[in-house]
Amino acid sequence: MRIITGKYKGRHFDIPRTFKARPTTDFAKENIFNVLMGYIDFDGTRALDLFAGTGSITLELLSRGCSQVVSVELDRDHHRFIQQCIAKLQGENNVQCLRGDVFRFIKGCHQQFDFIFADPPYALKELPQIPDLIFEHNLLAPDGVFVFEHGKDNDFSQHPRFVEHRSYGSVNFSLFR
């Protein structure tokens, strides 16, 4: 896993072979962030990474200059790995790495974010409800962007806050505002 751009550009982190999570591919990550450049300036942005997995997006957001990054991951080993990666960047104190259930976090969160990224397991039965939960709980700040990574079988184009869909191989992103 590597950081695409920003102050940590090119840094690599080796993901343990025992991990079940599939990190967003570098190709898909680079392309979606290129698209996002037309929507948001990450410098100074408050960001939320849900279902953080390996921490690939969290690290990318830190590298791109976000003023605050909240990372939520349930798996104990993945959470520890994300914390270790953050520690290797030395001095990153603008990140909060939480170990917990994303759905409980969403329901209890009273903060808004300029950018939200969610990459749940594609087989998660609650996956179709996640965009509604984000908006029902008012987590996205005005003019904010929500990126939802999902499998090819999901279509969110009829959602009232849907903006566009991008596909890179087997990786699909729906963007909301």
Side-chain angles (χ1 to χ4, degrees):
M1 169 178 81
R2 76 178 167 93
I3 297 176
I4 305 296
T5 198
K7 65 182 176 180
Y8 302 118
K9 178 181 180 177
R11 292 284 303 264
H12 286 266
F13 297 90
D14 294 324
I15 301 167
R17 295 185 192 277
T18 58
F19 276 20
K20 301 174 291 276
R22 41 134 191 89
T24 303
T25 65
D26 287 347
F27 174 76
K29 183 169 62 170
E30 185 169 9
N31 280 289
I32 196 61
F33 272 96
N34 285 341
V35 169
L36 290 169
M37 297 307 286
Y39 286 96
I40 192 166
D41 178 5
F42 287 100
D43 195 37
T45 296
R46 297 163 300 167
L48 174 63
D49 183 10
L50 298 173
F51 304 95
T54 62
S56 173
I57 299 300
T58 294
L59 298 174
E60 190 69 36
L61 292 167
L62 287 170
S63 184
R64 289 172 183 258
C66 289
S67 63
Q68 176 193 19
V69 179
V70 176
S71 176
V72 183
E73 173 54 46
L74 181 60
D75 184 275
R76 177 182 41 116
D77 294 333
H78 294 199
H79 175 260
R80 187 179 313 118
F81 177 75
I82 296 167
Q83 288 181 312
Q84 290 168 352
C85 291
I86 293 166
K88 287 178 184 174
L89 298 180
Q90 299 175 347
E92 283 298 339
N93 58 4
N94 57 337
V95 62
Q96 187 177 8
C97 188
L98 304 174
R99 180 173 173 248
D101 179 74
V102 165
F103 297 101
R104 289 180 73 184
F105 174 84
I106 289 171
K107 291 175 184 170
C109 184
H110 302 291
Q111 181 179 356
Q112 287 191 319
F113 298 89
D114 306 303
F115 179 75
I116 300 174
F117 188 93
D119 179 11
Y122 290 179
L124 185 71
K125 70 177 172 82
E126 299 92 348
L127 184 144
Q129 289 83 44
I130 293 171
D132 287 335
L133 287 171
I134 296 294
F135 294 111
E136 285 170 14
H137 291 277
N138 204 27
L139 294 184
L140 192 66
D143 298 322
V145 177
F146 168 41
V147 174
F148 191 43
E149 184 175 334
H150 56 82
K152 63 179 172 29
D153 295 332
N154 300 100
D155 180 6
F156 296 96
S157 61
Q158 299 306 308
H159 192 281
R161 304 286 296 268
F162 176 83
V163 178
E164 71 174 287
H165 173 264
R166 295 290 177 123
S167 178
Y168 305 103
S170 63
V171 181
N172 290 266
F173 297 101
S174 289
L175 281 68
F176 303 84
R177 290 203 95 167

